[in-house]
């Protein structure tokens, strides 16, 4: 085991995959400048700076992916993906289907998002559900360095376009990463904490929030299970349903806003497939329908906090059982 | 990798096939048997001229007005018609329709109907040629409308900076959907923008397939020699509307008449007759072959079954 940050875990995954496969390359604005180790080891052809034009960066990745390369592109901040929507959604996501399966798009799009640095709404916007709604794409949003490394490796090896969203606040967080970390399969959730009374489903930084809430709840005799989705598409429906079948209560927690967010999908899934298990209404704790503010207290107020999760769970425990 | 000189008689027949294909589609649409399409009527010369200058290793990216490029490359009009009619034997199994037909077996890759979409993808295809040490170049067809998209500048700039082997072919057909080029840009063409980005350019009469072939051959030589991108602007005209059906009520009658007089097929035919290179018998034989090819194509597309609904969700993911 080695202790490393999320940022270093991403770099380690890139380096390992570039060593294994000469078609893997990375480009984006500042990539060769910031990832100097990769530039040193793999050279200027495979590690490239680009103009900061996100559309052409993503389009170049899609064109390259369809014709023999495995590009990784760093588009920096998630809201910048607005400039690359056509290339990601209309080209990388659809041209396999449109062409009757003639092409595949083994490419990875990296972007940061989330509260923590006070960068404001045009650098911080949790847009992951837009892409969950777009066919042909896979989306991961891990919470630990080990998962970042393992899922990044899988994303690079996958023959589909994979978007890897990195929560800004987690970039310098540390964790244990196995030396010989293998790829972690896309579409598999992790049970971070087992529990009997309530299921907390989350991803990215709010997994930590749920873990903190679970500790507080445990002190009050409430046993919370925490599920870290890790992949938003494919979604690990089995892990969610299995847990809710046991606990009968569900709170979904994420920083992205509530309307048509991942939480809505998880809630609907449980309503459709595990209704009989439910002993209380499903709750969602999310960011508001507002742009993310820069001011620290406002930014923190945007993100669901552990005490709110605790309150939500307590309200569910007080609910009279539905059945 | 040697490209033979363009045989003008063969070029004429290929242009006639493209025209006949589009007219067949218009007819099928008129009889309710095919969806409306964006035709390439009037733009046959850049398709035949440029594609004839390519080798088998070269790749083509095209757009919604793609029939000429595909047929010039040797695609089967029967499979193309089947695609437009949503049939199983279409190049894309019926999932594309007319607007984004790709045929990987002919090197026609990643057709995008988003105007400018092909420009954003072409750089990646050029990059893979470089990184994988492939000998082929990339020909990217787009229109003057796409050149008003920001992606035009982004694509040419990156191709210039990274020295990507891309032949950008602007078919300046004077129309951007329902808007005349003169309403959306002050310059008469787009080469000035490309030159400002450091991309070598040439302008050619886009209704003369032989001139296009020569210009494209010179451009491709330059790309193979320098490794740098090149932009060829072919000045032509969209003789039909944006999307069938279209009464072209918004088109200036005098301008349309002028360009009809310059119809690329009539022009080449008259020239070959004048030069004594095309006899009436040869012409009749050519017409008969084209007619037979389209009859066979229509019969093939008609006979092809619709895809089963079980393929509705196949090929979403690799």
């Amino acid at each position: 085991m080695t202790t490393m940050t999320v940022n270093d875990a991403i770099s380690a995954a890139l380096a390992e995959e570039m060593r294994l496969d000469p078609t893997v390359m990375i480009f984006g604005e500042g990539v060769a400048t910031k990832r100097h180790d990769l530039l040193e080891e793999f050279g200027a052809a495979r590690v490239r700076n680009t103009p900061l034009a996100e559309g052409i960066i993503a389009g170049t990745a899609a064109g390259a992916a369809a014709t023999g390369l495995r590009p990784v592109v760093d588009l920096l901040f998630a809201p910048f993906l607005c400039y690359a929507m056509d290339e990601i959604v209309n080209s990388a996501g659809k041209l396999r289907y449109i062409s009757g399966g003639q092409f595949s798009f083994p490419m990875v799009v990296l972007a940061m998002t989330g509260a923590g640095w006070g960068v404001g709404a045009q650098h911080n916007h949790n847009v992951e559900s837009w892409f969950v709604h777009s066919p042909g794409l896979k989306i991961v949003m891990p919470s630990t360095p080990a998962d970042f490394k393992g899922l990044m490796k899988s994303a690079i090896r996958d023959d589909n376009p994979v978007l890897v969203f990195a929560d800004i606040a987690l970039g310098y967080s540390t964790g244990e990463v196995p030396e010989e970390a293998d790829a972690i399969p896309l579409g598999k959730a992790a049970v971070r904490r087992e529990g009997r009374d309530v299921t907390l489903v989350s991803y990215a930084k709010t997994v930590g929030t749920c873990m903190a809430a679970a500790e507080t709840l445990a002190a009050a005799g409430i046993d919370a299970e925490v599920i870290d989705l890790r992949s938003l598409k494919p979604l690990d429906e089995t892990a969610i349903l299995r847990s809710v079948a046991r606990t009968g209560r569900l709170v979904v927690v994420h920083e992205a806003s509530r309307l048509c967010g991942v939480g809505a999908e998880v809630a609907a899934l449980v309503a459709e497939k595990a209704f009989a298990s439910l002993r209380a209404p499903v709750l969602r704790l999310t960011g508001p329908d507002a742009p993310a503010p820069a001011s620290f207290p406002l930014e923190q107020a945007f993100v669901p906090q552990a005490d709110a999760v605790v309150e939500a769970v307590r309200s569910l425990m007080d609910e009279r059982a539905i059945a | 990798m040697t490209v033979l000189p363009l045989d003008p008689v063969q070029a004429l027949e290929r242009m006639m096939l493209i025209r006949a294909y589009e007219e067949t589609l218009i007819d099928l649409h008129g009889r309710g048997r095919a969806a409306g399409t964006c035709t390439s009527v009037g733009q046959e010369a850049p398709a035949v001229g440029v594609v004839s200058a390519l080798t088998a290793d070269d790749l083509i990216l095209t757009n919604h007005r793609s029939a000429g490029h595909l047929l010039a490359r040797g695609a089967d009009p029967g499979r193309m018609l089947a695609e437009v009619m949503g049939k199983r034997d279409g190049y894309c199994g019926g999932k594309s329709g007319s607007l984004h037909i790709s045929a990987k077996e002919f090197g026609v890759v990643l057709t995008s109907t988003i105007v400018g979409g092909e420009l954003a993808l072409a750089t990646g295809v050029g990059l893979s040629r470089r990184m994988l040490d492939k000998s082929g170049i990339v020909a990217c067809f787009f229109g003057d409308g796409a050149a008003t998209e920001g992606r035009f500048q982004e694509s040419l700039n990156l191709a210039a900076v990274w020295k990507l082997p891309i032949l950008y072919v602007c078919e300046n057909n004077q129309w951007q959907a329902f808007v005349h080029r003169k309403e959306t840009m002050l310059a008469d063409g787009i080469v000035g923008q490309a030159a400002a980005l450091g991309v070598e350019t040439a302008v050619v009469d886009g209704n003369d397939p032989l001139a296009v072939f020569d210009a494209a051959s010179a451009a491709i030589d330059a790309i193979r020699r320098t490794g740098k991108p090149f932009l060829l602007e072919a000045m032509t005209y969209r003789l039909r509307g944006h999307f069938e059906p279209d009464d072209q009520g918004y088109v200036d009658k005098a301008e349309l008449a002028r360009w009809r007089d310059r119809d690329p097929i009539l022009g080449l035919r008259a020239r070959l007759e004048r030069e004594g290179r095309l006899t009436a018998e040869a012409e009749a034989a050519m017409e008969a072959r084209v007619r037979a090819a389209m009859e066979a194509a229509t019969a093939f597309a008609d006979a092809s079954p619709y895809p089963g609904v079980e393929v509705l969700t196949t090929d979403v993911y690799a």
Side-chain angles (χ1 to χ4, degrees):
Chain A
M1 287 286 190
T2 316
T3 301
M4 64 171 77
T5 65
V6 161
N7 289 339
D8 290 342
I10 293 171
S11 290
L14 281 165
E16 287 178 19
E17 293 306 303
M18 288 178 80
R19 266 172 226 135
L20 288 172
D21 181 348
T23 66
V24 177
M25 61 181 297
I26 179 163
F27 49 92
E29 204 265 331
V31 160
T33 314
K34 291 185 306 177
R35 299 185 190 274
H36 203 259
D37 289 353
L38 293 181
L39 179 65
E40 286 278 294
E41 181 173 353
F42 301 104
R46 291 175 71 191
V47 182
R48 297 180 180 224
N49 280 336
T50 63
L52 49 68
E54 290 79 10
I56 198 65
I57 299 170
T60 301
T67 54
L69 298 176
R70 284 187 181 272
V72 177
V73 291
D74 187 348
L75 295 185
L76 301 182
F77 292 92
F80 300 179
L81 268 61
C82 291
Y83 264 145
M85 286 306 271
D86 177 56
E87 288 72 13
I88 296 171
V89 174
N90 282 323
S91 292
K94 295 181 188 170
L95 283 180
R96 174 174 180 75
Y97 185 83
I98 286 174
S99 69
Q102 294 181 73
F103 307 101
S104 57
F105 295 86
M107 58 184 273
V108 176
V109 175
L110 261 177
M112 294 183 282
T113 186
W117 283 4
V119 289
Q122 292 185 337
H123 286 70
N124 166 20
H125 185 175
N126 283 55
V127 296
E128 57 272 11
S129 69
W130 298 357
F131 298 95
V132 173
H133 204 70
S134 299
L137 308 177
K138 296 183 178 182
I139 293 89
V140 300
M141 203 157 170
S143 72
T144 69
D147 280 358
F148 267 97
K149 185 174 179 193
L151 287 164
M152 189 72 197
K153 287 169 78 83
S154 284
I156 293 170
R157 292 177 197 181
D158 200 274
D159 285 334
N160 299 283
V162 183
L163 283 80
V164 178
F165 288 109
D167 199 316
I168 294 173
L170 298 177
Y172 293 97
S173 67
T174 55
E176 296 284 304
V177 178
E179 296 286 357
E180 298 296 320
D182 210 353
I184 293 170
L186 305 178
K188 292 282 175 215
V191 179
R192 296 290 174 213
R193 185 186 195 285
E194 290 188 355
R196 294 183 314 271
D197 298 327
V198 61
T199 300
L200 306 178
V201 169
S202 190
Y203 58 90
K205 79 156 74 67
T206 47
V207 171
T209 310
C210 290
M211 292 297 285
E215 290 302 311
T216 306
L217 289 165
I222 299 170
D223 193 12
E225 179 145 305
V226 178
I227 293 182
D228 179 353
L229 291 176
R230 307 197 290 190
S231 295
L232 306 183
K233 191 161 75 173
L235 185 66
D236 191 347
E237 299 188 355
T238 308
I240 297 165
L241 293 172
R242 193 170 49 212
S243 179
V244 173
R246 205 168 59 242
T247 64
R249 298 180 183 88
L250 172 65
V251 181
V252 192
V253 185
H254 58 60
E255 186 171 335
S257 55
R258 181 172 55 85
L259 291 165
C260 296
V262 169
E265 182 57 35
V266 172
L269 169 77
V270 167
E272 284 172 357
K273 296 191 179 169
F275 189 72
S277 304
L278 286 174
R279 302 161 69 189
V282 174
L283 292 183
R284 286 173 289 164
L285 293 180
T286 69
D289 179 29
S295 165
F296 185 75
L298 290 180
E299 194 188 46
Q300 290 304 299
F302 189 100
V303 186
Q305 302 291 334
D307 53 359
V309 179
V310 170
E311 277 310 302
V313 171
R314 283 185 187 282
S315 77
L316 293 187
M317 301 310 289
D318 293 342
E319 288 276 343
R320 184 168 299 188
I322 289 172
Chain B
M1 234 174 52
T2 317
V3 173
L4 296 172
L6 182 60
D7 177 340
V9 178
Q10 281 180 9
L12 177 62
E13 183 164 345
R14 196 44 69 89
M15 292 204 298
M16 287 165 61
L17 178 69
I18 295 168
R19 181 72 59 91
Y21 171 86
E22 299 287 31
E23 285 172 348
T24 301
L25 262 186
I26 292 162
D27 175 60
L28 288 171
H29 172 69
R31 292 189 284 128
R33 293 176 53 210
T37 61
C38 296
T39 77
S40 60
V41 172
Q43 300 175 214
E44 296 86 354
V48 169
V50 172
V51 173
S52 302
L54 298 172
T55 70
D57 292 339
D58 300 330
L59 298 179
I60 296 170
L61 284 90
T62 174
N63 52 63
H64 51 286
R65 228 173 277 289
S66 63
H69 311 134
L70 283 152
L71 290 168
R73 189 66 165 179
D76 172 6
R79 291 195 64 193
M80 288 171 61
L81 273 187
E83 184 59 47
V84 180
M85 292 166 78
K87 300 296 191 72
R88 198 179 64 191
D89 296 307
Y91 278 108
C92 308
K95 286 175 172 170
S96 161
S98 76
L99 293 176
H100 8 51
I101 302 178
S102 294
K104 197 176 180 182
E105 62 201 272
F106 292 102
V108 180
V109 301
L110 303 175
T111 306
S112 173
T113 193
I114 304 290
V115 172
E118 69 285 11
L119 288 164
L121 297 163
T123 39
V125 182
L127 179 64
S128 72
R129 301 308 82 192
R130 278 270 173 280
M131 298 295 292
L132 301 171
D133 278 330
K134 302 279 189 189
S135 59
I137 68 146
V138 181
C140 177
F141 288 93
F142 61 102
D144 45 299
T148 66
E149 295 271 6
R151 291 297 185 270
F152 169 67
Q153 185 272 342
E154 293 178 36
S155 181
L156 264 69
N157 182 57
L158 189 65
V161 170
W162 282 2
K163 296 185 173 59
L164 301 177
I166 302 173
L167 174 63
Y168 290 96
V169 183
C170 179
E171 295 173 320
N172 186 334
N173 69 5
Q174 318 296 320
W175 284 98
Q176 305 173 357
F178 301 106
V179 178
H180 197 281
R181 171 187 60 76
K182 289 194 163 134
E183 270 191 72
T184 70
M185 45 202 258
L186 295 180
D188 282 332
I190 63 160
V191 286
Q193 295 181 61
L197 296 166
V199 174
E200 203 181 330
T201 65
V203 181
V204 66
D205 177 356
N207 280 24
D208 179 348
L210 310 183
V212 172
F213 176 80
D214 289 344
S217 299
I220 292 164
D221 280 348
I223 295 167
R224 296 202 204 279
R225 198 174 59 247
T226 65
K228 295 179 189 170
F230 193 106
L231 185 144
L232 179 64
E233 182 168 15
M235 307 307 274
T236 183
Y237 200 82
R238 192 187 77 198
L239 288 178
R240 293 192 63 96
H242 170 53
F243 190 85
E244 300 296 333
D246 181 337
D247 64 8
Q248 291 179 285
Y250 52 91
V251 176
D252 179 90
K253 301 281 177 295
E255 180 181 275
L256 184 58
R258 270 199 312 281
W259 282 95
R260 278 196 177 135
D261 286 344
R262 299 199 56 233
D263 183 309
I265 294 176
L266 299 181
L268 181 58
R269 179 180 288 197
R271 177 169 154 187
L272 293 177
E273 285 169 357
R274 216 169 38 240
E275 293 172 359
R277 299 168 78 177
L278 188 64
T279 62
E281 297 75 44
E283 230 174 290
M286 221 165 7
E287 274 168 5
R289 276 198 299 274
V290 167
R291 202 176 317 116
M294 286 318 305
E295 278 167 8
T298 308
F300 173 82
D302 272 337
S304 176
Y306 284 106
V309 291
E310 69 276 4
V311 302
L312 177 66
T313 55
T314 60
D315 291 326
V316 179
Y317 295 93

